[in-house]
Amino acid sequence: MNIRRSSVSFTPIGLAALALLTPMAQAQTAQAQPESAPAAQTPDEAAARLQLLRQQVDAQTRQLEALKRSVAAQEASLNEVRRAVANEVLAGQRGAGTAAGAAEPQAAQAQAQAQAQAPVGQAPESTGRTPAVAQIFEQPGVLTPKGKMVLEPSLQYSYSSTNRIALVGYTIIPAITIGLIDVREVKRNTVNAMLTGRYGITNRFEVEARVPYTYRSDSSIGCQLGQGCASETVFGASGQGIGDVEVTGRYQFNDGGVDKPYYVGSLRFKSRTGKDPFQVPVDTTGTGLGPVQTELPTGSGFYGLQPALTVLFPSDPAVFFGTISYLHNFSRTGVVQQYAAGTTGDTTPHTYTAGDVIGFNFGMGLGLNEKSSFSIGYDHASVGRTKVDGSALPLASVRVQLGTLLLGYSYRLNNQRTLSVTLGAGITRDTPDMTLTVRMPITF
């Protein structure tokens, strides 16, 4: 009898499949077995474990709070740096009175960018500050940084000449007048030496004090009103002394920047420390020119309060700026005019109210290079009527318009000093013909 034997052969693929299936079967067998029950815990162990979990949660909570405080501090520091950089950019374009401390964040940023672009081992080149723009108005471009002080000496000269022709009579035919003709010419020269100090309380708030010293000289040429004269009469008067001291506070409302305007509000208080028009004697008879002052006043004679709003809009490479303001003069009661010796006049006490002043200005500044800049602008003031005992004066019953075209140039001497020169030309008749101002703000 023949017995047939069968054999099973295992290929490599089968062996690999068997090797893969074996661990799966073992895992299924292990899952099929029931899990062992966890060891029981005593109440003390459970309480200790719960206490440990609570301590871990409290520690993590404290760490999160510390991280939040650190993030808030870093955000505040970053905002300060951004504000300082934005102020330095505006100061560079607007000019005048920029503190050296405000340039540090921008200088550090420029230095970091230069180092990132420079080859290894090569010192980056030094970058200068943004060019300054000449200051042409009384208010500075940006506020003084916190803890910094700016001392600004300045000298201003103005000249004006006025011609007045009065016809007293009647005209028969054109160019022929029967009566008297009064011709009077007045030339005025005024020099103001001012010392201004500004201090930054915060990065958004500064205070300013200004002390002026004024010298005035007037010369009048003409004939006595209402009478004929063979020759002209010349009369001169002058006056000098401390002018009206001013105190100003300024506050920046927002964080501006390039293509984003800055809004700065200010409040100025004007005293009457100078000699006012009611304290100087008036000659009513001896000059041949009618009532004239024998000594010129150096102050206005009225306390004043002036709120203002300034807008500055940087737009590389220029910056546009403008201001609107309103000056309110407080009334004075019981005022008696002084008269020169040997002359008489009205000695009755009166209440005087000087006209309020509505003002605005606007301009544009442009940096020429790293150290020099140029500005152009226009300043206008509308002066209201002066009243005595509630009634307008007969000879001052109209509103006066004062318009001045201003051109300015500045040159940065170093990081602490800038020299600014401003030239003003009178546009309206009542404005001085020429005004020249030289400033040198010094930062400490």
Side-chain angles (χ1 to χ4, degrees), residues 354-412:
D356 294 344
V357 182
I358 302 173
F360 68 89
N361 59 56
F362 58 88
M364 180 193 72
L366 181 65
L368 302 178
N369 52 46
E370 293 183 354
K371 290 189 175 183
S372 59
S373 59
F374 175 79
S375 294
I376 183 172
Y378 176 76
D379 183 78
H380 192 93
S382 180
V383 184
R385 297 177 296 177
T386 300
K387 297 181 179 180
V388 179
D389 298 330
S391 301
L393 289 175
L395 299 179
S397 59
V398 296
R399 180 174 289 272
V400 178
Q401 307 296 333
L402 305 175
T404 306
L405 178 65
L406 297 167
L407 302 175
Y409 176 81
S410 72
Y411 183 82
R412 181 169 60 87

Side-chain angles (χ1 to χ4, degrees), residues 125-379:
E125 295 182 359
S126 176
T127 57
R129 291 173 52 190
T130 309
V133 173
Q135 176 185 349
I136 55 177
F137 301 128
E138 293 297 332
Q139 64 274 12
V142 292
L143 302 186
T144 306
K146 179 181 179 180
K148 296 292 183 178
M149 186 178 71
V150 176
L151 193 64
E152 181 182 288
S154 62
L155 186 66
Q156 183 183 75
Y157 170 75
S158 63
Y159 171 80
S160 63
S161 61
T162 303
N163 295 323
R164 190 183 73 177
I165 300 177
L167 302 179
V168 184
Y170 57 94
T171 301
I172 301 178
I173 60 176
I176 298 180
T177 300
I178 303 301
L180 299 176
I181 301 178
D182 174 62
V183 180
R184 184 177 303 183
E185 181 180 3
V186 180
K187 299 182 183 294
R188 295 185 175 92
N189 294 272
T190 304
V191 178
N192 287 315
M194 292 173 286
L195 183 62
T196 304
R198 292 187 290 271
Y199 181 78
I201 305 297
T202 66
N203 286 332
R204 289 193 174 190
F205 178 68
E206 75 171 11
V207 292
E208 176 187 278
R210 176 175 299 172
V211 180
Y213 186 89
T214 303
Y215 171 79
R216 296 181 55 189
S217 175
D218 288 8
S219 298
S220 300
I221 304 173
C223 297
Q224 185 175 359
L225 182 64
Q227 297 181 7
C229 58
S231 61
E232 293 181 339
T233 302
V234 179
F235 177 79
S238 62
Q240 59 181 346
I242 296 294
D244 293 339
V245 177
E246 301 176 1
V247 178
T248 306
R250 296 187 181 90
Y251 181 78
Q252 179 178 321
F253 295 107
N254 68 322
D255 292 327
V258 179
D259 293 331
K260 184 178 180 182
Y262 291 79
Y263 297 96
V264 179
S266 64
L267 185 64
R268 180 174 69 99
F269 173 75
K270 183 181 68 66
S271 66
R272 54 183 186 94
T273 53
K275 182 176 291 187
D276 59 59
F278 309 106
Q279 294 176 331
V280 296
V282 174
D283 191 343
T284 59
T285 59
T287 64
L289 295 174
V292 294
Q293 295 173 328
T294 59
E295 181 183 354
L296 299 181
T298 59
S300 64
F302 297 90
Y303 289 109
L305 194 64
Q306 182 185 46
L309 176 64
T310 301
V311 180
L312 303 104
F313 184 76
S315 181
D316 190 36
V319 59
F320 303 93
F321 43 87
T323 301
I324 55 174
S325 61
Y326 182 83
L327 174 61
H328 174 70
N329 292 303
F330 296 93
S331 302
R332 291 184 60 183
T333 58
V335 178
V336 179
Q337 179 64 58
Q338 304 295 321
Y339 293 93
T343 61
T344 58
D346 184 11
T347 58
T348 304
H350 295 283
T351 298
Y352 286 85
T353 304
D356 294 344
V357 182
I358 302 173
F360 68 89
N361 59 56
F362 58 88
M364 180 193 72
L366 181 65
L368 302 178
N369 52 46
E370 293 183 354
K371 290 189 175 183
S372 59
S373 59
F374 175 79
S375 294
I376 183 172
Y378 176 76
D379 183 78

Side-chain angles (χ1 to χ4, degrees), residues 72-137:
Q74 292 178 359
E75 288 181 352
S77 178
L78 182 59
N79 290 334
E80 289 292 333
V81 172
R82 287 174 178 172
R83 247 190 319 267
V85 171
N87 287 340
E88 175 61 18
V89 171
L90 178 63
Q93 293 176 329
R94 181 67 171 87
T98 303
E104 294 176 359
Q106 185 184 14
Q109 182 180 3
Q111 183 178 7
Q113 293 176 356
Q115 290 176 353
Q117 297 174 359
V120 176
Q122 178 181 353
E125 295 182 359
S126 176
T127 57
R129 291 173 52 190
T130 309
V133 173
Q135 176 185 349
I136 55 177
F137 301 128

Side-chain angles (χ1 to χ4, degrees), residues 6-70:
S6 61
S7 61
V8 180
S9 61
F10 295 94
T11 63
I13 298 177
L15 290 174
L18 181 61
L20 292 173
L21 292 174
T22 300
M24 295 176 62
Q26 293 177 356
Q28 292 177 358
T29 303
Q31 291 177 358
Q33 296 177 358
E35 298 179 356
S36 58
Q41 294 182 350
T42 63
D44 294 338
E45 293 177 347
R49 183 177 178 82
L50 181 60
Q51 182 65 24
L52 179 61
L53 292 175
R54 288 178 178 175
Q55 292 176 357
Q56 293 178 352
V57 171
D58 292 340
Q60 293 178 356
T61 301
R62 288 192 295 270
Q63 292 179 358
L64 289 175
E65 293 295 332
L67 289 175
K68 289 180 180 179
R69 290 192 296 267
S70 177

